[in-house]
Amino acid sequence: MKNQKRIRDYGVTIGNMKVGERNAITDVDGVLVGHCTLNDNNIKTGVTALLPHKNNIFKDKLIAGSCIINGFGKTTGLIQLNELGTLETPIILTNTLSVGTAYEALVEYMLKENKDIGSTTGTVNPIICECNDGILNDIRGLHVKKEHVFEALKNVSEEFEEGAVGAGTGMCCLGLKGGIGTASRVFEIEKEKFTMGALVLANFGEGKRLTIDGKKTGVVIEKLLKENNNEIDKGSIIMILATDLPLSSRQLNRICKRASVGLGRVGSYYGNGSGDIVIGFSTANIIKHYEETASVNIKILNENKIDSAFKAAAECVEEAILNALICADTTIGRDKKERKSLKEFIEKI
């Protein structure tokens, strides 16, 4: 988006489902994404914020689920999310050593928006997700501050940049420059139209394993580079799935598992040191914090009709990762380390 050339602009079409208007997670009505980018010499990091809907997310919670494909990660909030099956804060993405700062900032943001938290009602469950950008970024410098989280939250919009921006500024993926990517799919279930969107923070994988729509592209790039660009699969990826399909938390857990299909298709094997984490939420039902009735009615999908959502999740994640790669510019970071952009090779492979 934002006039960037994405993977489809190079003739690569992932899957056979229809894409949304923006081919982005923000095709799900109400979802917004914003960045704060820190890019100065050895500092290559930042924050990406996702708002699940435009109302007060603490008072109007969404049904949510998750899947930990490989658990080498420091994401916060998943214990309560999985226990209660609800999402009650924005989702913040940043680097591994800035999780604490982002957590404190999101708490402050939620307290400002909700005078009742910790006073007349309980506390709040912030969702902070991370990947390690220490190859290109001076991660020990702890450069992300609370104001950067506030800026990312302020910058949220339906249109946002992909690649080496926000939390993706210093990320590496499959031997190349990684970062933020997004995609969406539109599908029908009994003549009713639904949308599935994915946002990824891609920072994983061995270079030679990069696969684009079934083609072993990483091997070709390795030859073009005339060097071994491989690292063991230990980087991590955060995958956020949003949909307007009415789902239970259990059903969202099942859909989150299918993100691993898209992740595997680009070349990951979920290595020992890789944190591969999926969070999914649906905007179709609102769970009110101050619900007055003893029972509530929510809509959920007939389980026998769920395959379209499975396919949409797999396709979205695969294309979102490729968009992260193709939109990221070649970057020289800490100690002159360099990661080239996929766009330097896409016309040659």
Side-chain angles (χ1 to χ4, degrees):
M1 293 184 294
K2 292 255 183 176
N3 298 317
Q4 291 177 291
K5 198 171 180 181
R6 307 172 78 196
I7 199 67
R8 286 181 177 248
D9 297 314
Y10 292 91
V12 178
T13 301
I14 300 301
N16 53 23
M17 300 182 78
K18 294 180 180 179
V19 302
E21 179 183 355
R22 302 177 191 86
N23 194 13
I25 196 169
T26 51
D27 287 324
V28 179
D29 187 44
V31 177
L32 303 173
V33 175
H35 303 300
C36 176
T37 299
L38 306 179
N39 189 352
D40 183 18
N41 295 319
N42 289 339
I43 303 172
K44 306 288 180 185
T45 193
V47 178
T48 296
L50 183 147
L51 263 61
H53 63 59
K54 297 175 183 177
N55 298 324
N56 187 310
I57 184 65
F58 181 75
K59 291 183 172 64
D60 293 335
K61 306 179 198 302
L62 297 181
I63 295 176
S66 73
C67 176
I68 300 173
I69 301 169
N70 193 67
F72 199 98
K74 287 79 181 170
T75 294
T76 73
L78 291 191
I79 293 175
Q80 181 175 310
L81 185 149
N82 289 332
E83 182 70 21
L84 302 184
T86 56
L87 176 66
E88 63 181 22
T89 73
I91 298 171
I92 301 297
L93 310 178
T94 190
N95 75 61
T96 306
L97 297 188
S98 296
V99 169
T101 299
Y103 188 100
E104 185 176 356
L106 186 54
V107 167
E108 285 191 21
Y109 173 86
M110 296 301 295
L111 292 177
K112 183 178 179 181
E113 297 289 316
N114 300 273
K115 303 301 183 184
D116 51 343
I117 291 176
S119 176
T120 58
T121 192
T123 57
V124 66
N125 184 46
I127 305 296
I128 314 295
C129 305
E130 56 76 33
C131 291
N132 183 354
D133 58 13
I135 292 176
L136 296 176
N137 174 49
D138 170 30
I139 194 169
R140 289 178 56 88
L142 304 176
H143 300 288
V144 172
K145 307 300 181 185
K146 288 191 289 186
E147 56 264 31
H148 301 132
V149 179
F150 300 145
E151 183 177 340
L153 287 161
K154 182 180 178 181
N155 289 340
V156 294
S157 173
E158 293 176 342
E159 295 280 341
F160 59 95
E161 288 186 78
E162 297 169 86
V165 292
T169 305
M171 302 299 172
C172 306
C173 184
L174 292 159
L176 300 170
K177 184 67 188 72
I180 295 289
T182 190
S184 70
R185 294 295 184 268
V186 177
F187 53 96
E188 290 188 4
I189 298 177
E190 294 188 348
K191 298 183 180 179
E192 189 172 0
K193 186 178 291 186
F194 299 101
T195 302
M196 177 80 65
L199 179 81
V200 302
L201 178 61
N203 186 61
F204 67 93
E206 298 177 5
K208 69 179 180 182
R209 293 185 62 86
L210 171 60
T211 305
I212 299 179
D213 199 21
K215 183 177 179 181
K216 295 180 179 179
T217 311
V219 176
V220 179
I221 291 175
E222 187 176 84
K223 292 178 180 178
L224 290 171
L225 284 169
K226 296 181 180 179
E227 63 183 54
N228 186 315
N229 67 334
N230 299 312
E231 295 161 348
I232 60 174
D233 195 345
K234 64 176 182 178
S236 298
I237 180 171
I238 302 298
M239 297 160 278
I240 310 297
L241 294 173
T243 185
D244 52 14
L245 189 66
L247 298 164
S248 68
S249 178
R250 180 188 57 78
Q251 289 174 325
L252 279 162
N253 290 342
R254 296 190 71 205
I255 290 169
C256 285
K257 290 179 183 178
R258 274 62 186 185
S260 63
V261 177
L263 180 56
R265 276 185 54 82
V266 298
S268 175
Y269 55 85
Y270 331 137
N272 175 63
S274 183
D276 308 312
I277 296 170
V278 194
I279 298 172
F281 63 89
S282 167
T283 61
N285 292 293
I286 297 296
I287 307 299
K288 292 190 174 297
H289 184 76
Y290 291 110
E291 181 60 60
E292 296 180 357
T293 61
S295 63
V296 295
N297 294 320
I298 63 171
K299 290 178 63 178
I300 66 168
L301 181 69
N302 177 346
E303 203 87 7
N304 293 322
K305 307 293 183 180
I306 203 169
D307 276 351
S308 294
F310 287 167
K311 289 186 284 186
E315 285 192 16
C316 278
V317 168
E318 181 180 359
E319 185 161 347
I321 294 167
L322 296 177
N323 279 333
L325 288 167
I326 202 68
C327 290
D329 293 328
T330 294
T331 299
I332 299 175
R334 180 177 66 86
D335 299 332
K336 306 297 183 182
K337 292 176 182 175
E338 181 183 55
R339 286 297 181 275
K340 292 188 178 295
S341 170
L342 175 59
K343 67 183 74 174
E344 294 194 25
F345 305 98
I346 194 70
E347 305 282 9
K348 306 172 185 177
I349 55 179

